[in-house]
């Protein structure tokens, strides 16, 4: 399984899409969780090619399916991004889009709509994600994703329904109508319901659309209305305050990182996550998992060594990786193989503290035989880079303008080929013991 993502045909300009409509829908009781307040809607969304590519892959793999199928979905989802979006500052579909069959256009629009939804939810402050299929055991329509973190911490989870439309009749009005219709049908019925990740306390329906052959896009948001308390409203009982500690609920952290480590190419970690969640037979491969540690844009990241060398031998001793001659060979024979002047090849990696914190916690669950899981985990979160709310100076990394990457709140990042990386080392994670100590 590879952590490599081909982005050689992606556009190079960042896109800015304004929120064209925002509607709020009543629900009783409101708020569902006392003291919960929804974050203010982001009036515009800015994103680069790395960010959208990563978000499409994240949403394509956030579901309960075997790793081999999810890897196939990831590759097929990203392949279309390479040639179907133009390289203009304003969002516009390329001329190649017209050559797709109707079903292929619908699928591509749905995938981009899901990616835009993930970017928007991160921009609102939400961190952790899971598939919302757990809400219904029947074919009844339901929202696409569940999110936690941010304003939802300690209250429960929020729903997000995604919709994409690249139709000849797409307008601001039609996209807004889709957002409202999807909210009423696939979000509202599940408000205040219980999921494996917590009570649903809020809901969103996000619709994204663009008319082929024209520049510009439409972004519409429908969400649960929470009325502001009146001046004469009695103060809420203190005992009903949220009980969250700022830590992450374990079940949604496991769901999030199952997708993340699959994208990174760490299939052994995915197997251990599945075992912890469902027990059963131990994974067949119980060997240590090797990560390449490197510095990039002022942070330390961990990634799969198979990216820099597809024939990476897991049995190599550490001293081989300290040989400068080896890296000279790798950089000239592996990393340098990309079209001259073309956009980079992307690599899914994870910020080091996020990776170590989660995997050490996973080791503790493995040592307990997978039978006892803590309710919450202490995991770091990050401000997103490479996308975010319009006007937010943190959207782009001003200190490292030459680095092309997208960092999400949970620590997952998609970076370009690491030609400017520093301090390359090897770190190994032992499933039962955790990370080996660094020398």
């Amino acid at each position: 399984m590879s952590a490599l993502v081909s982005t050689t045909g992606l556009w190079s300009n960042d896109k800015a899409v304004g929120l064209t409509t925002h509607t709020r829908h009543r629900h009783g009781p409101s708020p569902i969780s006392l003291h919960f307040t929804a974050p203010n809607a982001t009036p515009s969304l800015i994103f680069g090619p790395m960010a959208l590519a990563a978000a499409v892959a994240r949403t394509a793999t956030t579901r309960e399916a075997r790793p081999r199928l999810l890897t196939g979905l990831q590759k097929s989802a990203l392949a279309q991004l390479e040639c179907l979006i133009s390289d203009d500052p304003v969002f516009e579909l390329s001329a190649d889009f017209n050559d797709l069959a109707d079903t292929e256009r619908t699928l591509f629009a749905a995938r981009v709509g899901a990616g835009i939804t993930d970017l928007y939810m991160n921009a609102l402050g939400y961190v952790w994600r899971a598939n919302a299929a757990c809400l219904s055991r029947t074919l009844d329509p339901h929202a696409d994703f569940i999110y936690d973190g941010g304003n939802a911490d300690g209250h429960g989870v929020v729903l997000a329904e995604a919709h994409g439309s690249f139709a000849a009749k797409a307008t601001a009005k039609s996209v807004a109508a889709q957002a409202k219709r999807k909210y009423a049908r696939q979000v509202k019925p599940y408000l205040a319901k219980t999921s494996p990740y917590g009570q649903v306390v809020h809901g969103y329906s996000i619709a994204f659309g663009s008319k082929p052959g024209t520049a510009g896009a439409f972004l519409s948001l429908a969400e649960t209305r929470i009325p502001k308390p009146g001046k004469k409203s009695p103060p809420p009982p203190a005992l009903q305050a949220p009980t969250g500690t700022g830590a992450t609920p374990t079940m949604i952290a496991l769901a999030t990182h199952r997708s993340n480590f699959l994208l990174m190419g760490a299939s052994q970690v995915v197997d251990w996550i599945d075992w912890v969640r469902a027990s059963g037979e131990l994974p067949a491969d119980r060997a240590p998992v090797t990560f390449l540690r490197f510095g990039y844009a002022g942070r330390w990241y961990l990634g799969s060594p198979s990216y820099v060398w597809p024939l990476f031998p897991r049995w190599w001793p550490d001293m081989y990786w300290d040989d400068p001659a080896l890296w000279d060979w790798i950089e000239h024979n592996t990393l340098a193989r990309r079209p001259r002047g073309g956009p980079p090849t992307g690599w899914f990696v994870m910020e080091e503290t996020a990776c170590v914190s989660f995997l050490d916690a996973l080791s503790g669950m493995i040592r307990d035989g997978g039978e006892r899981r803590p309710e919450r985990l202490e995991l770091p979160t990050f401000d997103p880079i490479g996308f975010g709310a319009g006007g937010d100076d943190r959207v782009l990394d001003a200190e490292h303008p030459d680095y092309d990457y997208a960092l999400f709140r949970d620590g997952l990042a998609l970076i370009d080929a690491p030609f400017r990386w520093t301090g390359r080392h090897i770190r190994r994670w032992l499933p039962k013991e955790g990370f080996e100590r660094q020398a």
Side-chain angles (χ1 to χ4, degrees):
M1 194 180 300
S2 174
L4 186 67
V5 177
S6 175
T7 57
T8 55
L10 291 176
W11 71 92
S12 57
N13 287 301
D14 291 335
K15 313 289 186 185
V17 178
L19 188 65
T20 48
T21 60
H22 178 201
T23 58
R24 296 178 176 87
H25 301 254
R26 294 182 179 180
H27 182 81
S30 183
I32 296 170
S33 175
L34 200 62
H35 302 301
F36 171 80
T37 57
N40 293 328
T42 298
S44 64
L45 182 67
I46 298 177
F47 56 92
M50 284 291 194
L52 183 58
V56 168
R58 282 159 55 93
T59 51
T61 54
T62 305
R63 64 183 72 185
E64 298 300 323
R66 292 182 177 86
R68 185 171 64 177
L69 171 62
L70 295 180
T71 300
L73 291 173
Q74 168 203 343
K75 291 179 179 178
S76 64
L78 292 171
Q80 292 180 322
L81 286 175
E82 295 181 1
C83 61
L84 297 180
I85 298 178
S86 70
D87 193 23
D88 297 317
V90 178
F91 186 93
E92 183 177 359
L93 298 167
S94 72
D96 292 327
F97 180 81
N98 295 322
D99 296 330
L100 293 179
D102 289 345
T103 54
E104 293 170 327
R105 294 183 186 187
T106 300
L107 177 60
F108 179 65
R111 286 171 165 172
V112 173
I116 292 292
T117 295
D118 189 46
L119 295 178
Y120 199 88
M121 295 299 286
N122 267 257
L124 290 178
Y126 299 110
V127 184
W128 313 101
R129 70 191 188 281
N131 195 283
C134 59
L135 292 173
S136 176
R137 295 182 180 179
T138 67
L139 296 178
D140 292 339
H142 53 76
D144 292 308
F145 307 108
I146 287 173
Y147 283 87
D148 197 355
N151 284 33
D153 181 50
H155 293 279
V157 296
V158 301
L159 293 185
E161 166 63 16
H163 176 73
S165 175
F166 295 151
K169 296 182 179 180
T171 62
K173 185 177 180 180
S174 68
V175 172
Q178 285 286 6
K180 290 186 282 189
R181 183 178 70 83
K182 294 274 187 176
Y183 178 90
R185 203 168 166 227
Q186 295 169 236
V187 175
K188 184 177 176 60
Y190 299 96
L191 294 175
K193 302 293 184 182
T194 300
S195 80
Y197 308 104
Q199 185 187 33
V200 177
V201 299
H202 199 68
Y204 299 89
S205 175
I206 299 172
F208 179 76
S210 182
K211 181 179 179 180
T214 63
F218 312 108
L219 179 62
S220 186
L221 172 67
E223 68 170 307
T224 311
R225 178 175 178 263
I226 300 178
K228 295 181 179 180
K231 294 181 179 180
K232 297 182 179 180
S233 300
L239 292 178
Q240 297 184 33
T243 57
T245 62
T248 306
T250 299
M251 291 302 293
I252 201 164
L254 290 169
T256 297
H257 282 309
R258 183 182 194 269
S259 166
N260 290 347
F261 282 98
L262 183 140
L263 292 172
M264 292 170 64
S267 58
Q268 295 162 270
V269 176
V270 175
D271 291 341
W272 280 111
I273 291 174
D274 288 344
W275 180 78
V276 163
R277 294 198 302 174
S279 295
E281 294 185 7
L282 286 168
D285 190 346
R286 305 173 206 171
V289 180
T290 302
F291 292 95
L292 181 61
R293 178 181 187 260
F294 62 95
Y296 182 92
R299 298 178 186 268
W300 289 98
Y301 290 93
L302 297 180
S304 172
S306 62
Y307 166 77
V308 296
W309 194 5
L311 300 179
F312 162 70
R314 290 169 53 185
W315 47 265
W316 263 24
D318 290 355
M319 64 180 181
Y320 281 28
W321 293 96
D322 295 328
D323 184 356
L326 171 66
W327 289 107
D328 289 341
W329 184 90
I330 290 175
E331 289 177 357
H332 284 90
N333 291 277
T334 303
L335 297 181
R337 292 179 180 175
R338 67 171 183 168
R340 290 186 178 180
T345 298
W347 182 22
F348 277 107
V349 297
M350 191 174 295
E351 197 278 342
E352 184 180 34
T353 58
C355 188
V356 172
S357 297
F358 174 75
L359 288 183
D360 278 347
L362 182 62
S363 292
M365 290 180 256
I366 294 171
R367 286 194 298 270
D368 287 338
E371 297 179 357
R372 292 184 298 173
R373 292 188 297 263
E375 290 187 5
R376 302 175 76 89
L377 303 176
E378 294 288 344
L379 300 175
T381 60
F382 308 86
D383 290 328
I385 295 176
F387 69 96
D392 189 341
D393 295 336
R394 296 170 297 180
V395 170
L396 302 178
D397 190 347
E399 295 184 9
H400 305 90
D402 296 331
Y403 290 81
D404 188 11
Y405 69 111
L407 173 66
F408 290 77
R409 291 188 183 274
D410 56 17
L412 184 72
L414 181 63
I415 70 172
D416 67 358
F419 294 104
R420 291 170 296 277
W421 61 0
T422 58
R424 299 162 298 226
H425 309 287
I426 283 294
R427 294 203 67 180
R428 289 189 176 88
W429 175 70
L430 287 69
K432 287 190 175 182
E433 288 81 8
F435 272 91
E436 293 179 336
R437 294 200 176 195
Q438 294 178 273

